[in-house]
Amino acid sequence: MAAPMLNIATARERVLHSAAPLETEDVPVGEALGRVLAEELRAAHDVPGFANSAMDGFAVRSGKADRDLLVVGESRAGRPAEFPLGYGEAIRISTGAMLPDGADAVLQQELVDDRGERITLLDEVAPGRNVREPGEDLRAGDHVLGAGTRLGPASLGVAVNAGRATLRCARRPRVAVLATGDELRPPGTELGPGQVHDSNRITLTALAEREGAIVVLARDVPDHTDATRRAIGEALELADVVVLSGGVSVGPHDHVKPALAELGVEERFWRVALRPGKPTWFGARGRTLVFGLPGNPVSAMVTFLLFVRPALAALQWAEPPAGGRAILGERILCHPDRDECVRVRLEDGRAFATGPQGSHVLRSMALADALVVIPRGEGRALAAGTEVELIAV
Ligand code: AMP
Ligand code: MG
């Protein structure tokens, strides 16, 4: 009897068990968007590094309103005043400019009667008014970002403020995408009888790139023993992760599994109690991971999201993106013996299936905001209103 099918969580554990983090490298901060930080980042110094003005106005000593002061100089952004503030004096100041010694507050321009050489303060001035103190944003030594952070625009800016020009990041995983099938034709070509456009090469490449991978090879492979073995052999030389689509089943034209065995790729699992995506294969040769995903376009994408994405994240020291939660907007029947990944659209926190869910109906993915896993159960259904976990698409 065939081995029992794995459930999704066990299959994913096996993948993660094989996905050791890659080496790290220093990346210029301007090139690190989307990369994953592989260090604990601390601030090298206080930010701001000096007391400065939050307003355009006048640096003064705190005190009562209606004071008449002599304007003795100016502090501009990047060009502080050259002398301290004395009694009865004010210094013109710009936003972000350094607060002169002797001043403890700033009164904004709008609350000053400005006559050039002399001014009158039209409001009482409390100590610290309109002053940004050193370290209000970051203190020297503060923990700023943790290893595993996917670097977005704000993280990059904070890293610059923390004093950094480069960041230690995980190396980007190299991915090879091989789409098998004699029926496959490139995008835009006219189709002969029985032919289909090769969408998996495009979707799987895009999914890999979105997870931070470099796709070093993406091609079609005919359903032929030697061609399959040669293509996989080449991919294994180039890539950290080989993603195959199709040809992994047990039909007479499915050459992937024998080729993998011949090339010394060791099977870690085959078949998952999942719909769509039952015929999913995973193995490894040394540190190189190999995924044999089903050819049906939805199955290929769903199994990438469930198994390949966590692997790419782990290789980069990261976690896959969190999906959040929602409630079902409609009743959904359970499949008797496989957990089902239903493509849903979200409306006000409620999840609705995106129409026909066949594994060849790629539109159901294109319309989806998320996936929901509906647990298996003979004769069961999840009622509308059931809280469910979402998987980001
Ligand atoms: P297979 O897993 O090779 O048996 O393929 C299952 C189904 O997926 C068949 O209908 C294939 O035509 C289709 N298919 C396989 N590979 C692709 C691909 N790269 N793009 C679109 N459809 C595909
Ligand atoms: Mg095929």
Side-chain angles (χ1 to χ4, degrees), residues 25-42:
E25 60 190 6
D26 285 325
V27 180
V29 69
E31 294 166 23
L33 180 66
R35 299 291 294 267
V36 181
L37 191 64
E39 61 170 325
E40 300 298 322
L41 179 67
R42 293 186 177 277

PDB file of all heavy atoms in Angstrom, residues 25-42:
ATOM      1  N   GLU A  25      26.180  38.551   3.237  1.00  0.00           N
ATOM      2  CA  GLU A  25      27.081  39.451   2.498  1.00  0.00           C
ATOM      3  C   GLU A  25      26.731  40.886   2.865  1.00  0.00           C
ATOM      4  O   GLU A  25      25.608  41.160   3.305  1.00  0.00           O
ATOM      5  CB  GLU A  25      26.940  39.233   0.984  1.00  0.00           C
ATOM      6  CG  GLU A  25      25.535  39.500   0.461  1.00  0.00           C
ATOM      7  CD  GLU A  25      25.324  39.048  -0.987  1.00  0.00           C
ATOM      8  OE1 GLU A  25      26.224  38.422  -1.555  1.00  0.00           O
ATOM      9  OE2 GLU A  25      24.253  39.346  -1.534  1.00  0.00           O
ATOM     10  N   ASP A  26      27.701  41.805   2.688  1.00  0.00           N
ATOM     11  CA  ASP A  26      27.431  43.220   2.942  1.00  0.00           C
ATOM     12  C   ASP A  26      26.818  43.846   1.703  1.00  0.00           C
ATOM     13  O   ASP A  26      27.361  43.725   0.612  1.00  0.00           O
ATOM     14  CB  ASP A  26      28.726  43.960   3.305  1.00  0.00           C
ATOM     15  CG  ASP A  26      29.169  43.631   4.714  1.00  0.00           C
ATOM     16  OD1 ASP A  26      28.275  43.457   5.572  1.00  0.00           O
ATOM     17  OD2 ASP A  26      30.374  43.525   4.963  1.00  0.00           O
ATOM     18  N   VAL A  27      25.678  44.512   1.896  1.00  0.00           N
ATOM     19  CA  VAL A  27      24.950  45.094   0.776  1.00  0.00           C
ATOM     20  C   VAL A  27      24.865  46.603   1.003  1.00  0.00           C
ATOM     21  O   VAL A  27      24.467  47.035   2.094  1.00  0.00           O
ATOM     22  CB  VAL A  27      23.523  44.503   0.699  1.00  0.00           C
ATOM     23  CG1 VAL A  27      22.754  45.103  -0.463  1.00  0.00           C
ATOM     24  CG2 VAL A  27      23.577  42.987   0.587  1.00  0.00           C
ATOM     25  N   PRO A  28      25.238  47.432   0.003  1.00  0.00           N
ATOM     26  CA  PRO A  28      25.063  48.879   0.166  1.00  0.00           C
ATOM     27  C   PRO A  28      23.605  49.185   0.496  1.00  0.00           C
ATOM     28  O   PRO A  28      22.699  48.578  -0.103  1.00  0.00           O
ATOM     29  CB  PRO A  28      25.448  49.446  -1.204  1.00  0.00           C
ATOM     30  CG  PRO A  28      26.300  48.394  -1.834  1.00  0.00           C
ATOM     31  CD  PRO A  28      25.795  47.075  -1.297  1.00  0.00           C
ATOM     32  N   VAL A  29      23.392  50.090   1.424  1.00  0.00           N
ATOM     33  CA  VAL A  29      22.034  50.321   1.916  1.00  0.00           C
ATOM     34  C   VAL A  29      21.094  50.742   0.782  1.00  0.00           C
ATOM     35  O   VAL A  29      19.913  50.390   0.774  1.00  0.00           O
ATOM     36  CB  VAL A  29      22.072  51.327   3.098  1.00  0.00           C
ATOM     37  CG1 VAL A  29      22.445  52.717   2.657  1.00  0.00           C
ATOM     38  CG2 VAL A  29      20.779  51.314   3.870  1.00  0.00           C
ATOM     39  N   GLY A  30      21.629  51.424  -0.217  1.00  0.00           N
ATOM     40  CA  GLY A  30      20.806  51.849  -1.357  1.00  0.00           C
ATOM     41  C   GLY A  30      20.398  50.719  -2.281  1.00  0.00           C
ATOM     42  O   GLY A  30      19.585  50.897  -3.175  1.00  0.00           O
ATOM     43  N   GLU A  31      20.968  49.548  -2.067  1.00  0.00           N
ATOM     44  CA  GLU A  31      20.619  48.399  -2.917  1.00  0.00           C
ATOM     45  C   GLU A  31      19.926  47.303  -2.124  1.00  0.00           C
ATOM     46  O   GLU A  31      19.768  46.185  -2.609  1.00  0.00           O
ATOM     47  CB  GLU A  31      21.906  47.819  -3.551  1.00  0.00           C
ATOM     48  CG  GLU A  31      22.546  48.781  -4.530  1.00  0.00           C
ATOM     49  CD  GLU A  31      23.971  48.379  -4.897  1.00  0.00           C
ATOM     50  OE1 GLU A  31      24.331  47.195  -4.763  1.00  0.00           O
ATOM     51  OE2 GLU A  31      24.722  49.292  -5.303  1.00  0.00           O
ATOM     52  N   ALA A  32      19.543  47.620  -0.892  1.00  0.00           N
ATOM     53  CA  ALA A  32      19.079  46.555   0.008  1.00  0.00           C
ATOM     54  C   ALA A  32      17.560  46.442   0.106  1.00  0.00           C
ATOM     55  O   ALA A  32      17.050  45.643   0.894  1.00  0.00           O
ATOM     56  CB  ALA A  32      19.675  46.755   1.402  1.00  0.00           C
ATOM     57  N   LEU A  33      16.824  47.188  -0.730  1.00  0.00           N
ATOM     58  CA  LEU A  33      15.362  47.091  -0.682  1.00  0.00           C
ATOM     59  C   LEU A  33      14.928  45.650  -0.936  1.00  0.00           C
ATOM     60  O   LEU A  33      15.356  45.031  -1.911  1.00  0.00           O
ATOM     61  CB  LEU A  33      14.734  48.012  -1.732  1.00  0.00           C
ATOM     62  CG  LEU A  33      13.209  47.991  -1.782  1.00  0.00           C
ATOM     63  CD1 LEU A  33      12.609  48.554  -0.507  1.00  0.00           C
ATOM     64  CD2 LEU A  33      12.690  48.771  -2.981  1.00  0.00           C
ATOM     65  N   GLY A  34      14.075  45.123  -0.049  1.00  0.00           N
ATOM     66  CA  GLY A  34      13.551  43.761  -0.231  1.00  0.00           C
ATOM     67  C   GLY A  34      14.474  42.671   0.278  1.00  0.00           C
ATOM     68  O   GLY A  34      14.080  41.509   0.325  1.00  0.00           O
ATOM     69  N   ARG A  35      15.710  43.045   0.641  1.00  0.00           N
ATOM     70  CA  ARG A  35      16.630  42.037   1.180  1.00  0.00           C
ATOM     71  C   ARG A  35      16.284  41.767   2.639  1.00  0.00           C
ATOM     72  O   ARG A  35      15.551  42.524   3.274  1.00  0.00           O
ATOM     73  CB  ARG A  35      18.077  42.542   1.052  1.00  0.00           C
ATOM     74  CG  ARG A  35      18.495  42.797  -0.387  1.00  0.00           C
ATOM     75  CD  ARG A  35      18.623  41.510  -1.167  1.00  0.00           C
ATOM     76  NE  ARG A  35      19.709  40.701  -0.646  1.00  0.00           N
ATOM     77  CZ  ARG A  35      20.957  40.722  -1.107  1.00  0.00           C
ATOM     78  NH1 ARG A  35      21.268  41.495  -2.125  1.00  0.00           N
ATOM     79  NH2 ARG A  35      21.888  39.949  -0.582  1.00  0.00           N
ATOM     80  N   VAL A  36      16.852  40.681   3.183  1.00  0.00           N
ATOM     81  CA  VAL A  36      16.559  40.323   4.568  1.00  0.00           C
ATOM     82  C   VAL A  36      17.803  40.562   5.417  1.00  0.00           C
ATOM     83  O   VAL A  36      18.895  40.083   5.101  1.00  0.00           O
ATOM     84  CB  VAL A  36      16.123  38.853   4.677  1.00  0.00           C
ATOM     85  CG1 VAL A  36      15.809  38.516   6.128  1.00  0.00           C
ATOM     86  CG2 VAL A  36      14.918  38.591   3.799  1.00  0.00           C
ATOM     87  N   LEU A  37      17.597  41.307   6.483  1.00  0.00           N
ATOM     88  CA  LEU A  37      18.703  41.644   7.380  1.00  0.00           C
ATOM     89  C   LEU A  37      19.166  40.387   8.122  1.00  0.00           C
ATOM     90  O   LEU A  37      18.346  39.616   8.617  1.00  0.00           O
ATOM     91  CB  LEU A  37      18.207  42.694   8.374  1.00  0.00           C
ATOM     92  CG  LEU A  37      19.247  43.380   9.227  1.00  0.00           C
ATOM     93  CD1 LEU A  37      20.196  44.203   8.349  1.00  0.00           C
ATOM     94  CD2 LEU A  37      18.564  44.292  10.243  1.00  0.00           C
ATOM     95  N   ALA A  38      20.490  40.210   8.189  1.00  0.00           N
ATOM     96  CA  ALA A  38      21.029  39.022   8.854  1.00  0.00           C
ATOM     97  C   ALA A  38      21.887  39.425  10.052  1.00  0.00           C
ATOM     98  O   ALA A  38      22.839  38.729  10.406  1.00  0.00           O
ATOM     99  CB  ALA A  38      21.845  38.199   7.858  1.00  0.00           C
ATOM    100  N   GLU A  39      21.545  40.547  10.659  1.00  0.00           N
ATOM    101  CA  GLU A  39      22.281  41.003  11.842  1.00  0.00           C
ATOM    102  C   GLU A  39      21.318  41.782  12.735  1.00  0.00           C
ATOM    103  O   GLU A  39      20.241  42.180  12.302  1.00  0.00           O
ATOM    104  CB  GLU A  39      23.442  41.917  11.432  1.00  0.00           C
ATOM    105  CG  GLU A  39      22.964  43.168  10.700  1.00  0.00           C
ATOM    106  CD  GLU A  39      24.060  44.214  10.499  1.00  0.00           C
ATOM    107  OE1 GLU A  39      24.909  44.347  11.384  1.00  0.00           O
ATOM    108  OE2 GLU A  39      24.031  44.896   9.463  1.00  0.00           O
ATOM    109  N   GLU A  40      21.746  41.982  13.983  1.00  0.00           N
ATOM    110  CA  GLU A  40      20.984  42.858  14.877  1.00  0.00           C
ATOM    111  C   GLU A  40      21.553  44.258  14.693  1.00  0.00           C
ATOM    112  O   GLU A  40      22.745  44.485  14.920  1.00  0.00           O
ATOM    113  CB  GLU A  40      21.141  42.411  16.333  1.00  0.00           C
ATOM    114  CG  GLU A  40      20.655  40.978  16.597  1.00  0.00           C
ATOM    115  CD  GLU A  40      19.169  40.801  16.324  1.00  0.00           C
ATOM    116  OE1 GLU A  40      18.380  41.716  16.624  1.00  0.00           O
ATOM    117  OE2 GLU A  40      18.798  39.722  15.800  1.00  0.00           O
ATOM    118  N   LEU A  41      20.708  45.181  14.281  1.00  0.00           N
ATOM    119  CA  LEU A  41      21.199  46.529  13.965  1.00  0.00           C
ATOM    120  C   LEU A  41      20.987  47.455  15.168  1.00  0.00           C
ATOM    121  O   LEU A  41      19.874  47.573  15.674  1.00  0.00           O
ATOM    122  CB  LEU A  41      20.439  47.070  12.757  1.00  0.00           C
ATOM    123  CG  LEU A  41      20.812  48.463  12.310  1.00  0.00           C
ATOM    124  CD1 LEU A  41      22.234  48.488  11.763  1.00  0.00           C
ATOM    125  CD2 LEU A  41      19.858  48.961  11.249  1.00  0.00           C
ATOM    126  N   ARG A  42      22.089  48.087  15.598  1.00  0.00           N
ATOM    127  CA  ARG A  42      22.018  49.032  16.718  1.00  0.00           C
ATOM    128  C   ARG A  42      22.434  50.416  16.238  1.00  0.00           C
ATOM    129  O   ARG A  42      23.214  50.543  15.305  1.00  0.00           O
ATOM    130  CB  ARG A  42      22.941  48.578  17.850  1.00  0.00           C
ATOM    131  CG  ARG A  42      22.434  47.294  18.474  1.00  0.00           C
ATOM    132  CD  ARG A  42      23.212  46.865  19.690  1.00  0.00           C
ATOM    133  NE  ARG A  42      22.594  45.675  20.230  1.00  0.00           N
ATOM    134  CZ  ARG A  42      21.530  45.668  21.047  1.00  0.00           C
ATOM    135  NH1 ARG A  42      20.998  46.800  21.452  1.00  0.00           N
ATOM    136  NH2 ARG A  42      21.015  44.536  21.462  1.00  0.00           N
TER     137      ARG A  42
END
